[in-house]
Amino acid sequence: MIKKEYKLSLIKLGKFLLIFLIVDFGLGIVSKQLFFSQETGKYARSIQAVKNTNAQVLIFGSSHAHRHYVPEVFEKNLNKTTYNAGAEGQQLLYHLAMQQMIVKRVKPEVIILNIDEDFLYYSKEAYDRLSDLHPYYSDYRQELRPILGLESKLVDVKLFFNAYQTNSTIMHVLRYFASPQLDYLGYRPLFGKIEKHSSIINETNKEQDLDDNFVNALYQFIATAIDNDIKLVFVTSPRLNQVDDVNNVSFNKIKNIAKEKEIPLINYFNHKEFTNKLELFHDPSHLNDTGARLFSRDVALKIVK
């Protein structure tokens, strides 16, 4: 009697798991179709970078990359097709993952990595935001597993379920379907300028610790470029206020790595053409479209030399 009940329980469990997997498979197909059909928004831009663009120049970085590098200006001055793959709020692990996926399909001639001075400091958000990469896991397991594995040791278990891979993206799909977010080859301009401002110096937080995973990610980003014969350039974006880049442990480490690996670093911190120029900034950390075009032209001309 007990064996019979045990057997029935196993059969019920098996049926439940089978139904669950079928539903998960179906939801996964639908959600993946919705995800990869996006035409505007942050995911549409990452899809364009990973799956479609054949641009000769690719730009990586956080919002400073996304808002400051104008592909139209680079194309005019470099005579090379350009795409801005910058992503707001993302840091080195994300940019490394994007680079790994892209070079699997196409090899750009030039990669520009916009450097934030705090790139190597530990950031919980940097790990949390790696969930934006989940929808790519099925197609790029080899490239993404080492990176997503830093976020969670159970990455293979969690991402085994198809619906889980895209469960956080549905709202974005609906949002940008209802209200399209326009961009220009990945660049989204900011308009308006700062009217009043008190000049200060942005000081670094000396109590922050470097994250070894971020340091290793930077080394790997460089190695991938070198191995694929891609010219790599580091650039820092201008800020309205002066930046204390001398005492910043993260930025000093980045400078040392760039020197060690012979990667050119074009530094616009405390640049006289931008610092305290209210008319060029949308907010103290981001250039407006006028400033972005001036900056993009200057960077392009420096790369040509």
Side-chain angles (χ1 to χ4, degrees):
M1 184 70 178
I2 296 176
K3 287 185 177 180
K4 185 176 181 180
E5 290 180 354
Y6 182 69
K7 185 177 181 181
L8 287 174
S9 296
L10 287 177
I11 292 173
K12 289 180 180 180
L13 178 61
K15 288 180 178 180
F16 171 78
L17 290 175
L18 180 61
I19 293 172
F20 179 83
L21 290 174
I22 291 173
V23 171
D24 174 69
F25 180 76
L27 288 175
I29 291 176
V30 173
S31 59
K32 282 285 186 71
Q33 183 63 35
L34 286 172
F35 179 85
F36 286 107
S37 66
Q38 294 179 84
E39 296 182 355
T40 71
K42 68 174 184 176
Y43 292 118
R45 291 190 292 273
S46 70
I47 293 166
Q48 177 66 16
V50 172
K51 297 285 190 179
N52 300 319
T53 187
N54 292 308
Q56 296 162 293
V57 179
L58 286 179
I59 296 152
F60 292 84
S62 64
S63 61
H64 295 119
H66 181 48
R67 300 291 194 171
H68 292 176
Y69 294 77
V70 188
E72 172 194 347
V73 175
F74 280 90
E75 291 183 345
K76 179 179 179 181
N77 288 278
L78 296 179
N79 195 30
K80 296 180 185 295
T81 54
T82 303
Y83 189 79
N84 187 330
E88 292 191 8
Q90 294 291 1
Q91 298 189 37
L92 271 172
L93 294 176
Y94 176 89
H95 307 317
L96 173 62
M98 290 290 290
Q99 182 205 43
Q100 300 286 301
M101 291 188 289
I102 291 169
V103 299
K104 184 177 181 179
R105 179 181 60 85
V106 66
K107 308 293 190 290
E109 294 179 20
V110 180
I111 286 179
I112 300 171
L113 176 62
N114 185 88
I115 297 291
D116 290 339
E117 70 273 27
D118 296 340
F119 252 173
L120 301 184
Y121 287 136
Y122 169 78
S123 167
K124 182 179 182 299
E125 290 77 12
Y127 290 97
D128 293 341
R129 291 168 180 168
L130 291 177
S131 61
D132 284 357
L133 298 169
H134 288 175
Y136 297 101
Y137 194 69
S138 295
D139 295 332
Y140 298 94
R141 186 183 303 267
Q142 181 178 347
E143 289 75 23
L144 295 181
R145 191 179 188 280
I147 297 170
L148 295 179
L150 299 172
E151 171 199 14
S152 171
K153 301 303 180 184
L154 300 176
V155 59
D156 281 326
V157 176
K158 292 194 300 184
L159 295 179
F160 171 80
F161 300 103
N162 292 288
Y164 180 84
Q165 294 179 21
T166 54
N167 69 345
S168 63
T169 68
I170 301 302
M171 292 306 298
H172 285 276
V173 174
L174 298 176
R175 173 185 173 186
Y176 295 125
F177 177 79
S179 179
Q181 188 184 76
L182 299 179
D183 67 81
Y184 304 90
L185 295 173
Y187 165 68
R188 289 177 60 226
L190 292 168
F191 297 102
K193 60 184 179 181
I194 298 176
E195 298 296 338
K196 295 181 180 180
H197 174 67
S198 297
S199 180
I200 59 175
I201 297 177
N202 289 332
E203 296 183 352
T204 184
N205 183 349
K206 298 179 182 179
E207 296 182 358
Q208 289 180 276
D209 295 321
L210 298 184
D211 188 316
D212 289 340
N213 291 330
F214 298 169
V215 175
N216 293 335
L218 186 59
Y219 273 114
Q220 191 173 352
F221 195 97
I222 294 171
T224 299
I226 294 173
D227 291 345
N228 288 278
D229 197 26
I230 300 169
K231 179 179 180 179
L232 177 61
V233 181
F234 290 169
V235 183
T236 65
S237 284
R239 307 290 172 81
L240 179 62
N241 299 315
Q242 284 186 296
V243 176
D244 180 15
D245 58 347
V246 175
N247 297 307
N248 188 303
V249 177
S250 168
F251 188 57
N252 285 332
K253 180 69 172 179
I254 292 170
K255 288 189 290 185
N256 289 336
I257 292 174
K259 183 177 181 180
E260 173 192 345
K261 295 298 182 179
E262 299 182 338
I263 305 299
L265 193 160
I266 306 173
N267 189 1
Y268 282 86
F269 291 150
N270 309 321
H271 195 289
K272 63 181 181 180
E273 289 189 26
F274 296 94
T275 303
N276 294 322
K277 299 295 177 64
L278 302 182
E279 68 276 11
L280 300 179
F281 284 84
H282 175 266
D283 60 59
S285 187
H286 296 96
L287 297 165
N288 58 26
D289 185 60
T290 300
R293 290 178 179 276
L294 179 64
F295 169 66
S296 294
R297 181 178 182 276
D298 203 62
V299 173
L301 293 177
K302 282 183 168 64
I303 290 176
V304 168
K305 292 180 180 179

